Amino acid sequence: MMKTTKKRAVPLHEDPIRHIVWKGDRLDVIDQRLLPRRVRYVSCRTAKEVAKATTDMVLRGAPLIGCAAAFGMALAARSGRLKDVLSAEPLLRRARPTAVNLMHALDLMLAVAESGPKETLARRMADAAEKYCRDDIAYNARMAELGAALLKPGSRVITHCNAGALATAGIGTAVGMIRAGYLAGKVAHVYPCETRPYLQGSRLTLWELMQAGIPATLITDNMAAHLMKTVKIDAVIVGSDRIAANADVCNKIGTYGLAILAKHHAVPFYVVAPSTTVDFSTASGDLIPIEERSAREVVEVFGVPIAPKGAKARHFAFDVTPHELVTAIVTEKGVVSPADGQTLRKVVESEC
Amino acid sequence: MMKTTKKRAVPLHEDPIRHIVWKGDRLDVIDQRLLPRRVRYVSCRTAKEVAKATTDMVLRGAPLIGCAAAFGMALAARSGRLKDVLSAEPLLRRARPTAVNLMHALDLMLAVAESGPKETLARRMADAAEKYCRDDIAYNARMAELGAALLKPGSRVITHCNAGALATAGIGTAVGMIRAGYLAGKVAHVYPCETRPYLQGSRLTLWELMQAGIPATLITDNMAAHLMKTVKIDAVIVGSDRIAANADVCNKIGTYGLAILAKHHAVPFYVVAPSTTVDFSTASGDLIPIEERSAREVVEVFGVPIAPKGAKARHFAFDVTPHELVTAIVTEKGVVSPADGQTLRKVVESEC
């Protein structure tokens, strides 16, 4: 037998991470704030608890926020009363401001709630939430396939934040494309940026990649330019929290800078996101409000102060990448390239 | 009396930070690894101890590394034996690989050692080391004056790493220019990048700016592009560890990326460094070896793990910014603009 020290890559259909589990009367989610140091589940029995888990970042990632909200609505419907669903909806809608998947999931669930008699309300809503998640899983798989086809063999790729399994119900958006790419020989090595201040890259993406048996080396966010120049990078692959009608991409803080660096080094810049991330009601990226989170997350790391007492800090959680810097947007309905408003509408509104 | 909540800016000649203190028989330096949480001094009584403090990052910053090495040579000379000086020199030279100020200081001290009788060796060397530091202080003041003149009134500036008092014997290079600029109404607000992995920006530069009464707000490294686009930034000001003959600039990891972002947003990019930072023996930046430090500094913050067990990481400590991306290099001999090899040589070789 051949000896190998290389870890076997995990096939796409075998996913070791069960981070969102529907139990009929509750939703169990992994507390992502504690990863990778501890795997602990939080149980949500009401829509309010789902909203709180979302606001507190127990769960994060735009597609996953949408899935959790759908289950939140299903929990509210368990009473069989439409008014409970209607009062749960604004709670969930306010939980996080950026991910448009959240708004999309709630609109869909509201329509389901109002589409039949109260006797079947609970059942209809639970079925719809489960279908919403199954769809997300299927979208992930399709995007992974379409995205991997864009890469050249043996690519070294940079990714940012966590657009992986933990951000979705399936294998992830950007990380799904990377995993499919690795299995197809398209991806040779991954450099996840640590993604300060919340460290989604070092805590979540690197953990997922290691679990999936993909060769990965962590870098700090400020090393990306040096890598593009010296190690040579063949692609940058990220997810998105909201895509405007003109194809501008809102994503984790640092994405815009990476896109500029990629352009400077002629490195293709790919965004992977389901069509539910597209917000045609927002004309361009500069109209997307940028969520600011606590400055404490900048001046402390896991509770350890890294700045002087009394330090002021800003914590912009997202930024906007103008579509001119994006090589292609990979959706489950097809690849949007060039990344402009016209092509985006054509792909997203197509039947597939 | 008018009430004000604004902290008074500290004049340039009043410096509250005594981080390198020559005692004749020893050199006391603040342990910068513990800042800003604790102010503790490390006493070096031998050249070997100075070399170890340099390697271990008790002290850092290219000009300061040069000053400390000069005192290290003076300590070796206390025996009155030239051979002790000659054997101390390679120890100090190997302490850190990038800062060419170190090589410059050692060359100068060797020449002093060999220029007179053994009876006066100890005295000559102590005097030369003290003069080297006084010169550094004077260079800082001159660069601050020349640099501040380049800024437009009310500028919002980004700086990276620590090119402040703690990196020199005086008021600092980049931070000196910022402080002089603030006192002249040229600087309105400073955004230090935290500078992962070693956090010189959040730990050292922000601390210095707060001590000096300069309004400053900490950002993570990956927020710079978003700030340039939204808050608007008027200048990026950094130091350097080595400048090649063609004016390429080696500095803390992340500098190269910042320079690309500055160019993309048409923001002037200034490098502030004494002429002792220029290495005419290195033709271009890509010939400067890039120091890699422990990956532990990437996967841990103050000993707290931020990545999964067994995580791989790279820790490039520096990068190289091609001179085309530099608006001007401010030296004590004058401003190098355009930043090219010919102008650099003309300014640095001028008598002033």
Side-chain angles (χ1 to χ4, degrees):
Chain A
M1 222 176 98
M2 212 176 81
K3 254 178 83 177
T4 173
T5 54
K6 218 169 169 178
K7 196 180 161 185
R8 184 188 65 100
V10 176
L12 294 183
H13 61 272
E14 255 182 53
D15 222 312
I17 307 171
R18 301 235 321 144
H19 61 292
I20 174 165
V21 185
W22 175 239
K23 298 281 192 178
D25 62 343
R26 67 172 202 267
L27 182 70
D28 290 348
V29 291
I30 283 188
D31 189 341
Q32 298 197 22
R33 299 170 302 184
L34 306 178
L35 289 176
R37 296 195 288 177
R38 278 169 64 194
V39 176
R40 198 184 71 180
Y41 284 84
V42 169
S43 287
C44 303
R45 294 177 183 277
T46 63
K48 196 175 166 184
E49 287 177 0
V50 173
K52 188 172 180 341
T54 304
T55 302
D56 293 352
M57 310 254 303
V58 170
L59 64 99
R60 28 65 53 204
L64 185 65
I65 288 172
C67 291
F71 284 120
M73 292 288 272
L75 287 171
R78 293 192 71 237
S79 69
R81 288 190 298 260
L82 182 61
K83 77 175 172 59
D84 290 344
V85 174
L86 297 179
S87 64
E89 185 268 339
L91 282 184
L92 289 160
R93 196 171 289 264
R94 283 196 303 265
R96 286 290 297 276
T98 311
V100 76
N101 316 60
L102 172 62
M103 321 309 164
H104 184 270
L106 292 172
D107 291 346
L108 187 146
M109 293 301 288
L110 270 184
V112 171
E114 288 164 347
S115 70
K118 63 175 281 188
E119 289 70 25
T120 60
L121 180 70
R123 184 71 262 143
R124 284 201 317 277
M125 294 290 276
D127 288 350
E130 289 191 272
K131 178 175 186 310
Y132 188 88
C133 282
R134 276 198 312 275
D135 285 350
D136 190 58
I137 293 168
Y139 296 166
N140 283 187
R142 178 73 181 136
M143 288 185 280
E145 185 190 343
L146 290 171
L150 301 176
L151 297 170
K152 63 178 189 186
S155 290
R156 276 166 293 209
V157 309
I158 283 178
T159 186
H160 190 66
C161 194
N162 175 263
L166 289 165
T168 66
I171 55 167
T173 52
V175 174
M177 170 169 163
I178 288 168
R179 285 182 59 190
Y182 183 74
L183 291 166
K186 298 295 195 80
V187 170
H189 204 93
V190 187
Y191 296 93
C193 295
E194 64 174 359
T195 319
R196 279 281 290 149
Y198 215 67
L199 297 166
Q200 292 93 337
S202 53
R203 293 192 299 113
L204 308 179
T205 302
L206 182 61
W207 184 66
E208 280 193 23
L209 291 168
M210 287 167 72
Q211 301 251 15
I214 314 278
T217 304
L218 182 64
I219 57 168
T220 57
D221 301 314
N222 59 16
M223 288 178 195
H226 180 70
L227 250 72
M228 288 181 191
K229 190 169 72 170
T230 57
V231 173
K232 305 294 184 200
I233 295 296
D234 302 288
V236 176
I237 308 176
V238 299
S240 173
D241 292 81
R242 192 189 297 202
I243 297 172
N246 70 342
D248 287 354
V249 173
C250 182
N251 192 43
K252 183 55 50 195
I253 188 73
T255 304
Y256 170 50
L258 269 179
I260 296 168
L261 301 180
K263 188 190 175 187
H264 185 86
H265 295 93
V267 173
F269 187 88
Y270 299 116
V271 175
V272 191
S275 60
T276 51
T277 305
V278 180
D279 175 16
F280 285 118
S281 73
T282 299
S284 72
D286 49 13
L287 300 171
I288 300 173
I290 297 298
E291 180 180 3
E292 284 207 49
R293 294 187 63 87
S294 167
R296 208 168 141 177
E297 291 168 4
V298 173
V299 299
E300 290 181 3
V301 174
F302 288 140
V304 177
I306 60 161
K309 264 190 195 163
K312 284 191 187 122
R314 293 294 288 267
H315 180 178
F316 301 100
F318 300 95
D319 60 27
V320 171
T321 300
H323 62 91
E324 298 86 356
L325 297 174
V326 177
T327 309
I329 300 172
V330 181
T331 78
E332 82 284 4
K333 297 200 168 189
V335 175
V336 180
S337 177
D340 58 31
Q342 202 185 345
T343 316
L344 180 67
R345 191 171 285 272
K346 209 175 104 189
V347 170
V348 169
E349 291 183 347
S350 67
E351 295 299 318
C352 58
Chain B
M1 222 176 100
M2 213 177 84
K3 257 178 81 179
T4 174
T5 55
K6 219 169 171 179
K7 196 181 160 186
R8 183 187 66 102
V10 176
L12 294 182
H13 61 272
E14 256 181 52
D15 222 312
I17 307 170
R18 301 235 320 146
H19 60 293
I20 174 165
V21 185
W22 175 240
K23 299 280 195 179
D25 62 343
R26 66 174 204 265
L27 182 70
D28 290 348
V29 292
I30 284 187
D31 188 341
Q32 298 197 23
R33 298 170 304 182
L34 306 178
L35 289 176
R37 297 195 287 177
R38 277 168 64 196
V39 176
R40 199 183 71 181
Y41 284 83
V42 170
S43 287
C44 304
R45 294 177 184 277
T46 63
K48 196 175 168 186
E49 286 176 1
V50 172
K52 187 170 180 346
T54 304
T55 301
D56 293 351
M57 309 255 301
V58 170
L59 64 100
R60 27 67 51 205
L64 186 65
I65 289 172
C67 291
F71 284 119
M73 292 288 271
L75 287 171
R78 293 191 71 237
S79 70
R81 288 190 299 261
L82 182 61
K83 76 173 172 56
D84 290 343
V85 174
L86 296 179
S87 64
E89 186 269 337
L91 283 183
L92 288 160
R93 197 172 286 266
R94 283 195 304 264
R96 286 290 295 279
T98 312
V100 77
N101 316 61
L102 171 63
M103 321 311 163
H104 183 270
L106 292 172
D107 291 345
L108 187 145
M109 294 300 288
L110 271 184
V112 169
E114 288 163 346
S115 69
K118 63 175 281 190
E119 290 70 24
T120 61
L121 179 70
R123 184 72 263 146
R124 282 201 319 276
M125 293 290 276
D127 288 349
E130 288 191 271
K131 179 173 186 310
Y132 189 88
C133 282
R134 276 198 312 275
D135 285 349
D136 189 59
I137 294 169
Y139 295 166
N140 282 187
R142 178 72 181 138
M143 287 185 280
E145 186 190 343
L146 290 171
L150 300 175
L151 297 170
K152 63 178 189 187
S155 290
R156 276 167 293 210
V157 308
I158 283 179
T159 186
H160 190 65
C161 193
N162 175 263
L166 289 165
T168 65
I171 55 168
T173 53
V175 175
M177 170 168 161
I178 288 168
R179 284 181 60 191
Y182 183 74
L183 291 167
K186 297 295 195 79
V187 170
H189 204 93
V190 186
Y191 295 94
C193 295
E194 64 174 358
T195 319
R196 279 280 292 147
Y198 214 67
L199 296 167
Q200 292 92 337
S202 54
R203 294 193 299 109
L204 308 180
T205 301
L206 182 61
W207 184 65
E208 279 193 24
L209 291 169
M210 288 168 71
Q211 301 251 17
I214 313 277
T217 303
L218 182 65
I219 56 169
T220 57
D221 300 315
N222 60 14
M223 289 180 194
H226 180 70
L227 249 70
M228 288 181 192
K229 189 169 71 169
T230 58
V231 173
K232 305 295 183 198
I233 295 296
D234 302 287
V236 176
I237 308 175
V238 299
S240 172
D241 292 80
R242 192 188 298 201
I243 297 172
N246 70 342
D248 287 354
V249 172
C250 182
N251 192 42
K252 182 55 49 195
I253 187 72
T255 303
Y256 170 50
L258 269 180
I260 295 168
L261 300 180
K263 188 191 175 185
H264 185 85
H265 295 93
V267 173
F269 187 87
Y270 298 115
V271 175
V272 190
S275 60
T276 50
T277 305
V278 180
D279 175 16
F280 284 118
S281 73
T282 300
S284 73
D286 50 12
L287 300 171
I288 300 172
I290 298 297
E291 180 181 2
E292 283 207 50
R293 296 187 63 86
S294 167
R296 207 168 142 178
E297 291 168 4
V298 173
V299 300
E300 291 181 3
V301 174
F302 287 140
V304 177
I306 60 162
K309 262 188 199 167
K312 284 192 188 119
R314 292 295 287 268
H315 180 179
F316 301 99
F318 300 94
D319 60 26
V320 171
T321 301
H323 62 92
E324 298 86 355
L325 297 174
V326 177
T327 309
I329 300 173
V330 180
T331 78
E332 82 284 3
K333 298 201 168 189
V335 175
V336 180
S337 177
D340 59 30
Q342 201 184 344
T343 315
L344 180 67
R345 191 171 285 273
K346 209 174 104 191
V347 169
V348 168
E349 292 184 348
S350 68
E351 295 299 319
C352 58

